[in-house]
């Protein structure tokens, strides 16, 4: 193709994507380009650790053990909330978010900064559901590459989730018995 044809093709693709984004968004700001970049980043990240697993030559299990699924689920829940909501991890989110206020015990409500590129990352780092996809993938990679260390870390995260549940239950029970 010549340069002029390349330019026309690029303009047509850009126009198509711009129209699709405008039609999809229904008048709302939706950073579809950022989401596409995040999906591509996740695909590259997953491909990289899958390649590392393959290069290590470890056989993949036929299926995950039920206990590993439970452990991964609880550890993913706890680490996702720790990364996306905890007060102590707010410095990691600060470049992409704006503080709004407290939200539950030791958690914050933050909003994504509306600047280009920061909006998508801000949504990712403040959303425990979004974060859990990355965390579960990382823990799965860890189980395949370094199973003992990863299970130890997941055990600690699971214990932390249990301790959090006990703290909340104790607080609720204390409030119920004292009337506070």
């Amino acid at each position: 193709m010549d340069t002029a044809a390349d330019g026309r093709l690029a303009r047509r693709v850009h126009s198509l994507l711009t129209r699709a984004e405008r039609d999809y968004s229904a008048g709302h700001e939706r950073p579809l380009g950022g989401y596409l970049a995040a999906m591509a980043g996740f695909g590259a990240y997953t491909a990289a650790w899958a390649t590392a697993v393959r290069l290590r030559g470890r056989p993949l299990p036929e299926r995950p053990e039920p206990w590993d699924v439970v452990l991964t689920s609880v550890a993913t829940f706890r680490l996702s909330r720790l990364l996306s909501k905890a007060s102590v991890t707010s410095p990691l989110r600060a470049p992409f978010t704006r503080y709004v206020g407290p939200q539950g015990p030791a958690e914050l409500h933050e909003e994504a900064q509306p600047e280009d590129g920061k909006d998508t990352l801000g949504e990712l780092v403040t959303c425990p559901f979004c974060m859990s996809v990355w965390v579960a993938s990382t823990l799965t990679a860890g189980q395949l590459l370094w199973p003992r260390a990863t299970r130890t870390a997941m055990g600690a995260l699971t214990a932390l989730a249990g301790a959090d549940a006990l703290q909340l239950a104790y607080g609720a029970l204390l409030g119920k018995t004292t009337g506070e």
Side-chain angles (χ1 to χ4, degrees):
M1 262 191 211
D2 62 35
T3 307
D6 289 345
R8 284 192 303 272
L9 177 61
R11 282 190 301 278
R12 289 186 73 183
V13 169
H14 184 271
S15 175
L16 177 67
L17 293 174
T18 301
R19 189 171 43 253
E21 184 173 15
R22 184 189 64 238
D23 292 346
Y24 169 79
S25 67
H28 299 277
E29 287 293 320
R30 302 302 309 147
L32 294 183
Y35 294 155
L36 187 59
M39 289 171 28
F42 182 78
Y45 174 67
T46 303
W49 72 252
T51 300
V53 168
R54 175 173 252 186
L55 290 174
R56 295 267 316 256
R58 285 202 144 130
L60 294 176
E62 281 293 316
R63 67 182 77 63
E65 294 295 326
W67 174 246
D68 282 337
V69 173
V70 171
L71 190 64
T72 304
S73 297
V74 177
T76 296
F77 160 78
R78 189 63 203 108
L79 186 54
S80 295
R81 288 209 73 84
L82 181 66
L83 292 172
S84 65
K85 294 291 182 187
S87 299
V88 297
T89 56
S90 62
L92 301 175
R93 299 184 303 275
F96 312 104
T97 62
R98 184 175 51 83
Y99 173 77
V100 175
Q103 178 184 322
E107 290 191 344
L108 302 178
H109 177 187
E110 298 162 321
E111 292 180 350
Q113 290 185 16
E115 300 169 27
D116 285 343
K118 290 186 177 184
D119 47 1
T120 302
L121 283 172
E123 283 188 44
L124 174 65
V125 301
T126 60
C127 172
F129 298 97
C130 305
M131 184 65 69
S132 68
V133 174
W134 291 80
V135 170
S137 181
T138 301
L139 293 176
T140 299
Q143 287 179 41
L144 295 171
L145 294 167
W146 310 282
R148 292 178 71 182
T150 303
R151 282 191 184 94
T152 300
M154 289 192 316
L157 288 164
T158 299
L160 181 58
D164 289 348
L166 290 171
Q167 293 287 359
L168 293 171
Y170 178 79
L173 182 62
L174 188 62
K176 192 173 189 174
T177 58
T178 61
E180 293 178 14

